[in-house]
Amino acid sequence: QQQVKQSPQSLIVQKGGISIINCAYENTAFDYFPWYQQFPGKGPALLIAIRPDVSEKKEGRFTISFNKSAKQFSLHIMDSQPGDSATYFCAARDSNYQLIWGAGTKLIIKP
Amino acid sequence: SAVISQKPSRDICQRGTSLTIQCQVDSQVTMMFWYRQQPGQSLTLIATANQGSEATYESGFVIDKFPISRPNLTFSTLTVSNMSPEDSSIYLCSAEGDNQRDTQYFGPGTRLTVL
């Protein structure tokens, strides 16, 4: 019940295309759903986050879609750029304020 | 958001020795966390460190192997004791944000290689 399942494991998208990464969870007590971006040799950096009372949040080219009934959420990167090439992690926060992490998606944007 | 620094950024150590990793936050935070991340893998929580109390360790991690100090609201250390090659990994420190226990912000990590 504490798992967060993330897919795909890797993704290749053409420059200018839309990158979509999906996550699913079971624990309805999760109350906060952040996405992190990690470049090689760096720590994860918070990209965008959503709470379960909101169905969508947009910040620039990045959008989270949240489906509470399906217990799924996804990250959409519009107009994907080579600089977006990184590993993306979804996470969910439990009642102890701990983050439960997805397995990660390695995104490559082809120029 | 909180800005977090870690020292050292990387180290190569001999088997059987110990290494202490320092984590400094630019603001006072209640909760700090220590993670381990194998290259290409997700993050695994080692322990949660609250100021003024003992660290809480996750399953598979013990205090004798990974002692943690949290002397004040801006600083923590993680020691990797009696190291073996299996301890080679990236160790990450994180802290809660300053907005109502908002999400976690991460340091740059310490890349540890044990020979």
Side-chain angles (χ1 to χ4, degrees):
Chain A
Q1 249 207 340
Q2 283 291 94
Q3 283 187 326
V4 175
K5 295 182 180 179
Q6 183 173 346
S7 63
Q9 185 176 6
S10 62
L11 181 61
I12 300 173
V13 175
Q14 288 293 131
K15 178 182 174 182
I18 302 173
S19 304
I20 302 174
I21 305 171
N22 300 298
C23 287
Y25 64 97
E26 290 293 326
N27 188 345
T28 56
F30 290 154
D31 68 349
Y32 191 73
F33 300 86
W35 284 89
Y36 284 84
Q37 179 188 57
Q38 187 176 31
F39 294 105
K42 305 291 185 183
L46 178 65
L47 188 62
I48 187 173
I50 198 167
R51 300 186 189 276
D53 55 347
V54 176
S55 62
E56 185 176 281
K57 183 174 182 180
K58 184 176 181 180
E59 291 184 359
R61 297 185 294 110
F62 301 93
T63 300
I64 299 178
S65 297
F66 189 85
N67 186 330
K68 189 174 181 178
S69 60
K71 292 185 281 188
Q72 296 175 347
F73 59 110
S74 60
L75 175 70
H76 296 234
I77 306 175
M78 312 299 288
D79 186 26
S80 299
Q81 299 297 313
D84 297 329
S85 297
T87 299
Y88 292 81
F89 293 96
C90 65
R93 188 175 68 183
D94 69 11
S95 55
N96 294 319
Y97 293 91
Q98 292 180 358
L99 291 178
I100 310 302
W101 294 83
T105 297
K106 185 171 184 179
L107 175 64
I108 297 172
I109 307 300
K110 289 191 131 182
Chain B
S1 65
V3 177
I4 300 171
S5 58
Q6 281 184 241
K7 289 195 294 187
S9 59
R10 59 178 61 224
D11 208 340
I12 301 173
C13 300
Q14 294 298 318
R15 179 196 300 260
T17 63
S18 298
L19 176 71
T20 296
I21 302 168
Q22 299 179 9
C23 180
Q24 180 75 52
V25 188
D26 70 340
S27 59
Q28 293 185 339
V29 293
T30 301
M31 298 179 75
M32 295 181 72
F33 305 86
W34 286 98
Y35 290 87
R36 186 167 70 183
Q37 184 181 31
Q38 302 286 1
Q41 303 293 315
S42 188
L43 285 75
T44 300
L45 182 65
I46 296 171
T48 302
N50 290 341
Q51 194 270 334
S53 62
E54 298 259 340
T56 302
Y57 290 83
E58 297 301 300
S59 176
F61 298 96
V62 295
I63 187 171
D64 290 346
K65 176 68 175 177
F66 297 100
I68 290 171
S69 77
R70 182 78 202 274
N72 57 51
L73 290 172
T74 64
F75 188 78
S76 179
T77 67
L78 169 76
T79 299
V80 185
S81 302
N82 188 24
M83 288 184 286
S84 66
E86 291 71 35
D87 295 319
S88 298
S89 190
I90 299 166
Y91 291 84
L92 291 157
C93 166
S94 74
E96 59 170 2
D98 55 4
N99 177 22
Q100 294 284 327
R101 304 187 82 176
D102 207 338
T103 197
Q104 294 175 28
Y105 299 91
F106 282 82
T110 296
R111 181 178 290 268
L112 172 62
T113 302
V114 183
L115 303 178

